[in-house]
Amino acid sequence: MDKPVCLIDTASDGKLFVQQSAMQLLEQIQQPVVVVAVVGLYRTGKSYLMNRLAGKPTGFALGSTIESKTKGIWMWCVPHPTKAGTTLVLLDTEGLGDVDKGDSKHDTNIFCLAVLLSSTLVYNSRGTIDNRAVEELQYVTELTDCIKVKAKSSDEDVDDSNDFVKFFPSFIWAVRDFTLERKIDGKDATENDYLEFALKLKHGTSKKVMEHNLPRECIQKFFPSRTCFTFPFPTAPENVSRLESLDPADLSSEFLEVTERFCKFVFEKSEVKKLKDGYTVTGRVLGHLANTYVDTISSGAVPCLENAVIAMAMIENEAAVKEGLEVYQSGMEKLKSSFPLELEVVSSEHQRLSSMATQTFMARSFRDTDGKHLKSLEEKVNTLFDGYLCQNEQASKKRCEDLLSSLSATMTEKLKQGLYAKSGGYDLFCKDLEDIVKKYNSQTNKEVKAESVLEEFLKRKSVDSKAILQADKKLTEKEKKIKEETEKAALLEQEIKAKEETQRQLLEKMEAERRSNEERMRQMKEKMDEEMRLQREEAQRAMDSKLREQAALLEKGFQEKADRMSQEMEEFKRQNTEAESNRAREFAELLENSNKRHEESMALMMKQHSEQMKALQQQMSRRSSGICCIM
């Protein structure tokens, strides 16, 4: 993108909506995304920082008047400067507290969306981090009412804000036009020391103390990490209105130094955006997320992380099935141009492409806990496999039929000329037929339909054979009876050979499907292990953050709050252990059901073919008995 575009806009009725043109741009981004959003009061210079992160002097609109320039949320997607294969998505939000809007709910929604969509949230303010500045960050205290982690029934009013730290972005406070000395108790302090001092809690339970502590507690509790940058005035007051067009020489060296440190920190420390359970967000997924959250807010409901993940899982898993199927079908269509082929070749390619289809599915899918979509892919692949086997058989059948037609051309001509309609003609016919069969067998030993096509050919020729046999005056009636029964036995034997070959091919196909299923389950196990690892890492990051906060509380003498945090962490551990056990059980059930389904399918097919073979063997036995009786 060479310039920013509007991602989320406001309709005439005041409701937010996602611009479809921006959705189309995000749809094209298959890479993981690092999402940096900036929020803050209007006219505090947010857009300048975002332009610097984009590596451009201009892009996001900079206003030089008291009016807010940015409306809604604007987006700029650029290649990440330090992380290969990653896209940096910059979100510049509408300034908060614009008196022209007169709608605090609108500001809360914008702030809420910035939190939900970003992996790093930059809060931009001016002057100092004093009590007024913290109070202006009132939106953070409203997040418990504006965001839910878990889906619950409407009559449940449970505070799940303890889980925010697992999914919220890292937090950067950018203080603009900072003029104070950074000293605490007369000693020089770092920017982060300054932030921690500003977020220091007060002891007591009075209303005033509670109001003082609430926003500070929220910042400490909700965000997994926090960092501060203090920017001095960039230039002389008369030049601020044209900041984007100024030469670097006209800007304060201290301002440029902080800006450079800020950008470097964002590039190095901002993580790829992830959903609940550690699923990596691509541009495409980010677009769907924005749509889901905006639709939820516009409907008057509260955005829920779990519901968003479920919605994303449905969209992505259906798309993953489609992509996997396309990989399989594309490969098999190339193979189809070489039909007919040996069954072993077709089965081997099926297994390879089925594995590739599963890999493609696994790369995009997530939270397919009941295996419904993986099963759908399996069934569709097997249906296609059956279709390609049928097409290969049809190609083989045509080749065999063409070969027999060519080999039997002389016999056909002799039949037309009546050369077999004479004494001894039957033996001559049988010899010619035997020669045809020998030549045919030598040339079709690898054809999948060789035996069945030969069976049909011999059945057709048996009509001519019977006529020739009855007309042959050289043979006695008894000899004719014996030869007739012998021919029937030979036809039955060929029928059995055709059925045996069909059964062998069935077994080969079943073996191919068994190996494909094993490979599918192996990949599913890898996927589950990876998801479990991401969940554990997600939980550990949240636990580390909670432990740091607890240590800070103990250091500052907030024993009661620290004790409550211990209880929260124990419950947190219990929930994570339970979730991990449930996931392992779900996979075990998935594996068991898949194996059971395959075993039942194979057993049914084997039973049907065994019954057919048994019936043919019985017919063969009766034919042999008939010949013995005549003799």
Side-chain angles (χ1 to χ4, degrees):
M1 290 173 58
D2 56 359
K3 61 181 180 180
V5 298
C6 184
L7 173 63
I8 298 172
D9 207 345
T10 307
S12 56
D13 60 0
K15 289 186 177 180
L16 298 170
F17 69 95
V18 176
Q19 289 281 5
Q20 289 308 302
S21 56
M23 283 282 288
Q24 291 169 6
L25 290 170
L26 287 172
E27 186 72 28
Q28 299 170 17
I29 300 175
Q30 307 297 324
Q31 295 180 331
V33 291
V34 173
V35 188
V36 181
V38 62
V39 296
L41 298 180
Y42 78 110
R43 302 305 310 115
T44 53
K46 302 187 307 300
S47 300
Y48 176 82
L49 287 182
M50 300 306 273
N51 289 339
R52 287 302 303 267
L53 287 173
K56 304 289 183 181
T58 61
F60 288 113
L62 273 67
S64 57
T65 68
I66 60 170
E67 294 179 290
S68 173
K69 283 291 180 181
T70 303
K71 299 296 182 183
I73 297 180
W74 283 66
M75 172 185 76
W76 200 351
C77 304
V78 296
H80 198 287
T82 62
K83 295 179 180 175
T86 306
T87 297
L88 177 63
V89 178
L90 303 171
L91 301 180
D92 190 15
T93 66
E94 181 174 344
L96 307 175
D98 187 351
V99 292
D100 287 341
K101 289 181 301 202
D103 183 3
S104 61
K105 184 62 176 175
H106 179 83
D107 285 350
T108 301
N109 289 338
I110 292 291
F111 186 86
C112 177
L113 285 168
V115 170
L116 289 169
L117 296 176
S118 66
S119 51
T120 294
L121 181 73
V122 180
Y123 180 66
N124 200 71
S125 70
R126 258 190 183 150
T128 61
I129 306 181
D130 54 17
N131 197 51
R132 181 188 60 80
V134 176
E135 287 176 353
E136 284 174 347
L137 191 50
Q138 60 176 327
Y139 311 100
V140 78
T141 67
E142 299 172 7
L143 291 176
T144 53
D145 297 323
C146 299
I147 298 174
K148 295 298 177 186
V149 174
K150 298 175 183 177
K152 298 183 179 70
S153 59
S154 58
D155 60 341
E156 289 182 289
D157 187 20
V158 179
D159 179 12
D160 54 11
S161 59
N162 287 329
D163 288 333
F164 282 179
V165 69
K166 291 171 67 176
F167 320 113
F168 270 28
S170 56
F171 181 83
I172 297 176
W173 196 318
V175 186
R176 310 294 292 276
D177 302 343
F178 185 77
T179 57
L180 301 178
E181 287 187 275
R182 285 199 310 270
K183 289 184 179 294
I184 300 174
D185 297 330
K187 298 179 182 179
D188 289 337
T190 65
E191 290 164 309
N192 285 345
D193 289 338
Y194 174 65
L195 175 60
E196 294 307 309
F197 180 76
L199 298 180
K200 188 176 180 181
L201 304 179
K202 287 185 178 181
H203 288 274
T205 57
S206 67
K207 182 180 179 182
K208 189 174 182 180
V209 168
M210 298 283 277
E211 289 174 348
H212 172 90
N213 287 345
L214 180 58
R216 292 166 172 82
E217 285 182 321
C218 289
I219 294 171
Q220 294 172 12
K221 179 180 177 182
F222 296 165
F223 298 98
S225 67
R226 52 187 179 272
T227 308
C228 181
F229 289 89
T230 55
F231 295 78
F233 272 103
T235 185
E238 62 271 17
N239 292 330
V240 171
S241 61
R242 52 191 186 90
L243 190 61
E244 61 185 4
S245 62
L246 286 179
D247 189 276
D250 296 324
L251 295 173
S252 158
S253 59
E254 292 86 355
F255 176 80
L256 291 174
E257 184 272 328
V258 177
T259 301
E260 185 177 347
R261 279 196 300 109
F262 168 81
C263 291
K264 184 179 179 182
F265 180 88
V266 170
F267 295 151
E268 291 181 355
K269 300 298 183 181
S270 293
E271 301 288 341
V272 167
K273 173 68 176 174
K274 292 186 177 180
L275 289 180
K276 187 174 181 289
D277 298 336
Y279 181 76
T280 298
V281 173
T282 63
R284 178 189 64 244
V285 174
L286 183 66
H288 290 312
L289 275 178
N291 221 29
T292 299
Y293 289 138
V294 169
D295 286 349
T296 302
I297 289 172
S298 296
S299 71
V302 175
C304 171
L305 293 172
E306 189 169 74
N307 285 343
V309 169
I310 291 170
M312 286 303 98
M314 182 63 69
I315 293 171
E316 290 299 292
N317 289 342
E318 288 177 355
V321 170
K322 184 179 178 182
E323 283 187 6
L325 211 57
E326 286 172 352
V327 166
Y328 178 82
Q329 194 164 12
S330 174
M332 290 299 283
E333 283 295 316
K334 291 177 183 176
L335 185 71
K336 178 181 168 183
S337 63
S338 302
F339 283 175
L341 294 167
E342 293 178 63
L343 179 59
E344 183 180 353
V345 175
V346 181
S347 294
S348 177
E349 189 66 0
H350 158 72
Q351 289 172 55
R352 187 183 74 83
L353 292 170
S354 177
S355 177
M356 288 178 60
T358 304
Q359 287 175 356
T360 302
F361 171 84
M362 294 297 180
R364 183 164 183 174
S365 69
F366 72 106
R367 283 193 64 154
D368 185 28
T369 50
D370 58 0
K372 181 178 74 173
H373 291 90
L374 182 60
K375 180 183 175 184
S376 173
L377 175 64
E378 173 193 348
E379 291 173 345
K380 289 176 179 178
V381 163
N382 287 339
T383 298
L384 284 174
F385 182 39
D386 288 340
Y388 286 115
L389 287 177
C390 184
Q391 291 175 63
N392 188 53
E393 288 174 358
Q394 291 299 317
S396 177
K397 181 180 179 182
K398 186 178 186 307
R399 179 183 287 182
C400 291
E401 288 174 342
D402 289 347
L403 177 60
L404 277 174
S405 178
S406 175
L407 292 174
S408 64
T410 302
M411 173 182 274
T412 303
E413 190 60 32
K414 285 182 178 181
L415 281 167
K416 287 180 180 178
Q417 295 176 9
L419 297 181
Y420 298 117
K422 62 182 181 180
S423 180
Y426 180 76
D427 287 339
L428 179 61
F429 177 85
C430 289
K431 184 180 181 305
D432 287 348
L433 186 60
E434 185 179 347
D435 288 342
I436 292 171
V437 171
K438 282 181 180 179
K439 290 178 182 178
Y440 173 81
N441 284 335
S442 69
Q443 296 180 49
T444 60
N445 61 327
K446 293 183 179 180
E447 291 290 343
V448 294
K449 296 299 287 183
E451 299 295 348
S452 61
V453 169
L454 180 59
E455 176 194 353
E456 292 300 319
F457 175 77
L458 293 176
K459 282 182 178 178
R460 290 197 302 274
K461 290 303 174 189
S462 69
V463 177
D464 297 326
S465 176
K466 285 177 184 177
I468 294 168
L469 178 62
Q470 294 304 316
D472 196 332
K473 300 187 182 300
K474 184 180 177 182
L475 300 172
T476 65
E477 288 302 315
K478 184 177 180 180
E479 287 174 329
K480 288 180 181 180
K481 279 285 185 184
I482 292 173
K483 287 185 180 292
E484 186 177 347
E485 289 299 323
T486 302
E487 187 176 324
K488 287 180 179 178
L491 284 173
L492 185 59
E493 184 178 358
Q494 179 58 38
E495 186 178 354
I496 289 173
K497 284 177 68 176
K499 291 294 183 184
E500 285 177 340
E501 176 60 20
T502 300
Q503 187 174 40
R504 186 194 69 77
Q505 292 176 16
L506 174 67
L507 290 173
E508 191 170 329
K509 179 195 171 191
M510 288 165 60
E511 178 62 17
E513 290 187 0
R514 183 189 66 78
R515 288 194 292 265
S516 294
N517 185 57
E518 285 183 352
E519 173 62 16
R520 214 166 9 248
M521 290 301 101
R522 184 192 67 77
Q523 291 190 38
M524 185 66 182
K525 177 68 164 56
E526 285 186 357
K527 177 82 169 179
M528 187 205 74
D529 289 343
E530 176 65 10
E531 287 181 352
M532 294 296 289
R533 183 186 67 79
L534 292 171
Q535 287 177 22
R536 283 192 288 268
E537 287 181 358
E538 177 185 88
Q540 189 58 52
R541 283 194 298 270
M543 183 61 73
D544 290 344
S545 177
K546 289 176 182 290
L547 286 169
R548 288 194 298 270
E549 292 307 319
Q550 185 186 44
L553 288 170
L554 287 170
E555 184 182 347
K556 295 166 186 173
F558 291 93
Q559 184 65 49
E560 187 178 343
K561 290 181 182 291
D563 290 342
R564 282 203 303 271
M565 214 161 181
S566 292
Q567 295 174 3
E568 290 175 6
M569 286 189 286
E570 285 302 316
E571 177 62 17
F572 185 77
K573 287 179 184 177
R574 186 194 66 76
Q575 290 177 354
N576 285 321
T577 301
E578 184 179 324
E580 192 166 330
S581 297
N582 290 340
R583 186 71 182 94
R585 187 178 66 254
E586 286 169 351
F587 178 75
E589 291 174 356
L590 173 62
L591 185 62
E592 182 182 352
N593 291 336
S594 177
N595 289 334
K596 184 178 179 182
R597 188 169 65 250
H598 278 267
E599 288 171 2
E600 289 175 349
S601 175
M602 290 182 183
L604 179 61
M605 287 189 285
M606 284 299 296
K607 181 181 178 183
Q608 290 173 344
H609 276 267
S610 294
E611 290 172 352
Q612 290 176 2
M613 291 304 297
K614 184 178 179 181
L616 284 169
Q617 293 289 355
Q618 289 172 349
Q619 287 182 44
M620 186 69 176
S621 177
R622 286 195 295 271
R623 292 289 181 196
S624 298
S625 299
I627 294 172
C628 291
C629 289
I630 294 170
M631 295 178 67

